[in-house]
Amino acid sequence: MPNNRYTMWFLEILQAEKGACHKMNLNIVCIPGDGIGPEIVAEAKKVLDKVAQKYNHSITYKDILMGGASIDACGEPLTEEAIATAKAADAVLMGSIGGNTSTSPWYKLPPHLRPEAGLLKLRKSLNLFANLRPAYLYEELKAACPLRDDIIGSGFDMMIMRELTGGLYFGERSTKEVDGVLTAIDTLTYNENEIRRIAIKGFEIAMKRRKKVTSVDKANVLDSSRLWRKIVEEVAKDYPEVTLEHMLVDNCAMQLVKDPKQFDVILTENMFGDILSDEASMVTGSIGMLSSASLNDTKFGLYEPSGGSAPDIAGKGIANPIATILSAAMMLRYSFDLDCEADAIEAAVKKVLEEGYRTIDIMPQEEGRRAEVTQVGTVQMGDLISERI
Ligand code: IPM
Ligand code: MG
C-alpha cells in the first residue's frame, strides 16, 4: 500500500532526526573562584541552561573551591578532594582566581599556598598540556581596538596554542644565598615528548583553519628553544599542507601590534604563550572577550576566560561575561562534540554585539561613538545572550 509505505518513510525520518539530536547529560564542575569569577560563571551557566533546555540536554553542576576562596575556607588553594571532584567530571568551567597582589593577604603566604598555585596544580594534575586561546576581532568591536584602521584592515583571527604543563612554570626553583648573595633560580626544561604532543595539537588545529603555523621561540639564545624548533620541524613533515614558519618571541611581540593579520596558529611554550596571549587579547579590544580551553589527551578540558579576576571591579556588576560564555561554547565543542549548540552560543554573542550592547570594557574608545551603543552590566549581558539562543 503506497499509503503505508509513506507512513513507514515518515517514521524513518522521525527516527533519524531523534538520533541526530540525542539527549546528553553533561557533568560539569564549576570553579567560580575569586574577584569577578562568581559573577561571570553565573552568566555562563545561565546561557548553558538555556542551551540545555532548547536542545534537550541535562546538565549536572558541582562547584569546587580554588584560589583565594579555597585558601579562606580550607587553608590551601586547591584540596585533593577538589581535584578528585574535577577529575570525575566531563569538563570544568572556571571563572578566575587571585586577588590584588600588592594588597591581598593571600600574597603574604608562601608561593605554594597562593591562589595561582591552585590553578597550576590543577593544570598539572589533570595533564592539561594544550592551551587554546583564540584571539579574534569582532567586526562590531573595531572601535574598541587600540590599533589604527590601516593595521586592522579586514580584521584578524588567530589561535594561540600555548604549552601549559612544562617550561619555567614547572621547572625546579629555589632562592638561596650563593657566596653571601641572595640568588633566585628558575629552570626551563622541555623534553622532546612534551614538545611533540603540543606541536601535533597545533598542526591539527591549523588543518581546520588557514593551515599556517607560526612557531615562536628564542632559538638564538635558549637550548630549550633549539630543541623546540627541531621537534616542531619533525612534526611538520606529517602535515605537508600546513605552512610552518619560525619566529623569535621578541619579534612576535612586535608583529602582533604591527600586523596581527599575518597569524593563524601561534604555537609556543608556556611562558611565551602567557605573555603573547595577553598581548593578542588586547589588540582584539578587550581581554573580556577571549575564551580559552586547556585540554589533555582525552575529551576532558578546563575552560576559562583568558582574563584575570579583576579585583578592582569585582562585585560591581560591570564585568564582561562574554569570555566565560564563549568558553562554555568551547566546552560544548571540544568536550561534548556539540557543534550546533556551540554555534548557537557564538551566534547569540555576535547578535547581541550587532544590536549594539556593550559592557564597559568594550565601549568605543572615541567619545563621539559611545552614543551609538548601549552600555549594559554583567547580568544584563548574560540575559541578552541567553534570550538569543
Ligand atoms: C593565565 C594566567 C596564569 C598563568 C596565572 C594566573 C598563573 O596568567 O592563565 O594566563 O600565568 O598561566
Ligand atoms: Mg596570563
Side-chain angles (χ1 to χ4, degrees), residues 116 119-120 123 133 162 164 169 274 277-278 304 306:
E116 287 72 12
L119 178 57
L120 299 181
R123 286 176 181 167
R133 298 191 165 181
R162 169 188 176 195
L164 203 59
Y169 277 67
D274 178 44
S277 61
D278 264 29
E304 57 172 315
S306 285

Side-chain angles (χ1 to χ4, degrees), residues 161-183:
M161 175 65 85
R162 169 188 176 195
E163 200 292 326
L164 203 59
T165 51
L168 275 172
Y169 277 67
F170 294 96
E172 275 176 35
R173 63 181 101 256
S174 64
T175 305
K176 56 188 175 207
E177 265 190 31
V178 177
D179 300 330
V181 181
L182 206 50
T183 307

Side-chain angles (χ1 to χ4, degrees), residues 115-281:
E116 287 72 12
L119 178 57
L120 299 181
K121 191 172 164 191
L122 190 66
R123 286 176 181 167
K124 197 71 176 177
S125 319
L126 300 175
N127 194 26
L128 304 171
F129 65 87
N131 183 216
L132 281 70
R133 298 191 165 181
Y136 172 81
L137 180 69
Y138 283 84
E139 182 67 33
E140 296 75 24
L141 294 187
K142 279 188 175 171
C145 174
L147 301 180
R148 284 197 322 261
D149 281 350
D150 60 309
I151 296 176
I152 300 172
S154 56
F156 47 84
D157 174 3
M158 67 188 106
M159 177 70 87
I160 299 194
M161 175 65 85
R162 169 188 176 195
E163 200 292 326
L164 203 59
T165 51
L168 275 172
Y169 277 67
F170 294 96
E172 275 176 35
R173 63 181 101 256
S174 64
T175 305
K176 56 188 175 207
E177 265 190 31
V178 177
D179 300 330
V181 181
L182 206 50
T183 307
I185 303 170
D186 294 288
T187 51
L188 202 180
T189 308
Y190 271 106
N191 69 40
E192 57 177 307
N193 298 333
E194 291 171 311
I195 301 170
R196 195 168 291 112
R197 64 181 182 177
I198 187 76
I200 291 171
K201 288 255 186 204
F203 280 91
E204 288 292 330
I205 290 279
M207 284 298 287
K208 297 192 187 130
R209 296 173 48 97
R210 301 193 308 277
K211 299 193 173 64
K212 179 178 173 190
V213 169
T214 305
S215 174
V216 175
D217 61 36
K218 188 72 184 172
N220 52 349
V221 180
L222 304 176
D223 257 19
S224 55
S225 284
R226 287 188 275 267
L227 181 62
W228 181 277
R229 222 176 244 222
K230 177 175 178 299
I231 302 298
V232 168
E233 272 174 10
E234 278 172 27
V235 171
K237 292 193 186 117
D238 292 333
Y239 299 89
E241 285 172 60
V242 177
T243 308
L244 167 68
E245 68 175 13
H246 300 284
M247 193 178 274
L248 296 173
V249 62
D250 46 351
N251 183 27
C252 182
M254 184 173 79
Q255 295 298 331
L256 274 171
V257 288
K258 197 171 161 228
D259 181 20
K261 292 188 296 296
Q262 69 183 287
F263 296 109
D264 179 15
V265 174
I266 291 182
L267 171 65
T268 193
E269 65 91 48
N270 205 345
M271 182 66 138
F272 297 158
D274 178 44
I275 299 167
L276 295 176
S277 61
D278 264 29
E279 188 187 0
S281 68

